[in-house]
Amino acid sequence: MKAKAVVHKEFRIGRIDDRVYGAFLEHLGRAIYTGIYEPGHPSADEHGFRRDVIEMVRELNVPVTRYPGGNFVSAYNWEDGIGPKESRPVTLDYAWRTKETNEVGIDEFAAWCEAAGTELMLAVNLGSRGLDEARGLLEYCNHPGGSRWSDLRIKNGRREPYDVRLWCLGNEMDGPWQVGHKTAYEYGRIANETAKAMKAFDPTLQLVACGSSHSFMPTYPQWEADVLDECYDNVDYLSLHMYFENYEDDYLNFLAKPVILDRYIQTVSGVIDYVKAKKRSKKDIYISFDEWNVWYHCRRQDNDNFKNWDWPAAPALLEEVYNFEDVLVVGCILNTFIRRADRVRIACIAQLVNAIAPITTERGGRAFRHTIYYPYLLASRHGRGESLAVAVDAPRYDAKAADDVPYIDVAAVHNQAAGTVALFVVNKHPDEETELTVDLAGFPSARLIEHILIHHPDLKAVNSADAPDVVKPQLQNGSVVEDARVLCRLKPRSYNLIRLSV
């Protein structure tokens, strides 16, 4: 199979916001307890955080981490997680039917963020609670002192404010499963009033309103239009969520599903533009895609489990075992965000540790990197800069999820400061090697730095604590650059990063 692509230095989509490589941690299963926090573990620091996990997160260079949920936040009282640990109550989490010990709260998680080199992205509870509780959390986190909540933070041991800049106004409020589920009008009103209060405290805060939980919701995309009708003037981002599954074990259909993601972003962008025009506004609102990942390997079994179990504390839940096939889908998802850099400014892989996550830990034992850790790592490390438009001419196929799907998926990033161009290329073809030619218009002196490949002959190959390196990046020979043209051979079913000095 042969394919061609053209990248032009001057055909820029937009600057990629570093926060596109963000992550998410929820009080869910073992994400927090025995995930990032395990006092007594051999690697635990003085606060009880696992250093082995912190090192893996720092390697990913995660710019921002969303917390504490997720469905969890819609019935969460943040005050339960502050003050002396021995005085904190044990509470029930209605979202996942588990016990919450509240050993980790806002102060502990903020300390973990500092250790892991990531910034806080906090969600407020607009399900069972509302504006006043959100205001209290904001003052606790951001006010220097001299008020009830800021003085309580100081009393609890943190003198300097956390200065959290990015706030989510609830979570998935369109979902009937959500505690405090609301209609679009009801949610738009409370989001607007909460946003007004928070901006009265600090007009430079960045606020994220809830969009649709996924593109198959019966209220989509009218939800976005109705919510923004109420709160457009006072919010800065609209959140979207999407998870990818392959219950049918249909490889090509699975690899076509990121096309639905692209259409989802395009449609919601159009709704944002419609409301902007309707309001005669000069203000732009961008997309925060703050939950995304592959999620299906254990999802149905987990749904049965947590509905029937008797409120366990930190049980194994949503602990997906990712395979090589998932690497290719995650690569295409990340490429989509790069290509939509003009609209998507924030994205959070859901989640970071243990629960639908690239990192898994053993209680008291080892931590290892799942297969999907690596496309996330390579994109975060080399996908920062300017997103360039890519014209691709490649064979295509039809699938149940979408028609006219190209076998070759390409995203291009120009890092002017580093003097590099990164080409992220997924060859979806199940059995044909591809000869890919990329014309680099405007980059006459381009030279090859390296071609990194993620490939395995078995689509179902997985990593584990005993065999952590079954699927991992490796250097690939055979790619060349001649006269501003990249010539490379792509293995079938492969993820490729081609780095160029320009």
Side-chain angles (χ1 to χ4, degrees), residues 327-496:
V327 168
L328 304 179
V329 173
V330 167
C332 290
I333 295 167
L334 289 163
N335 280 2
T336 301
F337 293 148
I338 290 170
R339 290 192 297 263
R340 290 289 185 177
D342 56 333
R343 308 306 296 242
V344 179
R345 297 292 176 88
I346 303 163
C348 302
I349 191 170
Q351 295 186 14
L352 193 53
V353 185
N354 285 335
I356 42 176
I359 299 169
T360 283
T361 68
E362 297 175 327
R363 294 177 189 265
R366 299 164 291 182
F368 68 93
R369 300 164 179 83
H370 277 294
T371 60
I372 64 168
Y373 181 94
Y374 293 108
Y376 178 29
L377 171 69
L378 294 175
S380 178
R381 184 174 288 174
H382 302 295
R384 306 193 187 208
E386 196 84 20
S387 175
L388 300 179
V390 185
V392 178
D393 181 9
R396 295 169 178 259
Y397 69 95
D398 292 341
K400 182 179 178 181
D403 290 337
D404 203 31
V405 180
Y407 280 108
I408 303 299
D409 189 290
V410 187
V413 179
H414 180 205
N415 188 326
Q416 190 170 5
T420 61
V421 166
L423 303 174
F424 299 92
V425 187
V426 177
N427 181 9
K428 304 176 189 178
H429 204 286
D431 46 42
E432 287 190 25
E433 187 176 71
T434 298
E435 296 180 9
L436 175 65
T437 301
V438 184
D439 288 334
L440 302 168
F443 298 106
S445 60
R447 298 290 183 269
L448 180 69
I449 299 174
E450 59 185 354
H451 179 169
I452 299 174
L453 169 72
I454 308 178
H455 179 262
H456 197 281
D458 181 4
L459 283 172
K460 307 305 182 183
V462 302
N463 293 343
S464 66
D466 292 325
D469 297 324
V470 172
V471 177
K472 66 177 184 179
Q474 55 191 288
L475 288 176
Q476 175 76 350
N477 296 321
S479 295
V480 297
V481 179
E482 297 176 351
D483 300 324
R485 298 172 74 213
V486 181
L487 309 172
C488 56
R489 302 184 72 87
L490 308 175
K491 289 181 178 291
R493 305 184 305 194
S494 65
Y495 176 91
N496 305 264

Side-chain angles (χ1 to χ4, degrees), residues 61 84 112 114 170 218 226 245 275 309 364 420 444 495:
N61 191 15
W112 180 84
E114 291 176 356
D226 292 345
E245 46 80 12
V275 177
W309 61 27
T420 61
Y495 176 91

Side-chain angles (χ1 to χ4, degrees), residues 30 62 103 125 233-234 253 306 327 331 336 352 395 406 432 479 496:
R30 297 195 309 115
V62 179
E103 294 173 74
N125 177 357
D233 293 335
N234 293 302
N253 189 55
F306 83 78
V327 168
T336 301
L352 193 53
E432 287 190 25
S479 295
N496 305 264

Side-chain angles (χ1 to χ4, degrees), residues 250-323:
D250 183 337
Y251 166 76
L252 282 175
N253 189 55
F254 191 30
L255 269 290
K257 290 185 177 181
V259 175
I260 300 174
L261 168 66
D262 187 72
R263 292 173 182 169
Y264 188 16
I265 294 169
Q266 181 176 351
T267 298
V268 172
S269 298
V271 174
I272 292 171
D273 290 345
Y274 161 73
V275 177
K276 177 182 177 180
K278 180 181 176 182
K279 291 182 173 290
R280 310 301 193 263
S281 177
K282 293 182 179 181
K283 177 183 178 180
D284 290 316
I285 286 179
Y286 297 97
I287 291 171
S288 172
F289 220 106
D290 46 39
E291 285 188 36
W292 68 268
N293 206 344
V294 172
W295 179 17
Y296 76 96
H297 295 285
C298 63
R299 188 170 187 173
R300 287 174 174 168
Q301 185 60 52
D302 280 334
N303 282 342
D304 292 337
N305 289 345
F306 83 78
K307 290 176 182 177
N308 297 301
W309 61 27
D310 189 23
W311 306 98
L317 181 60
L318 313 190
E319 298 199 9
E320 296 276 281
V321 177
Y322 290 106
N323 58 35

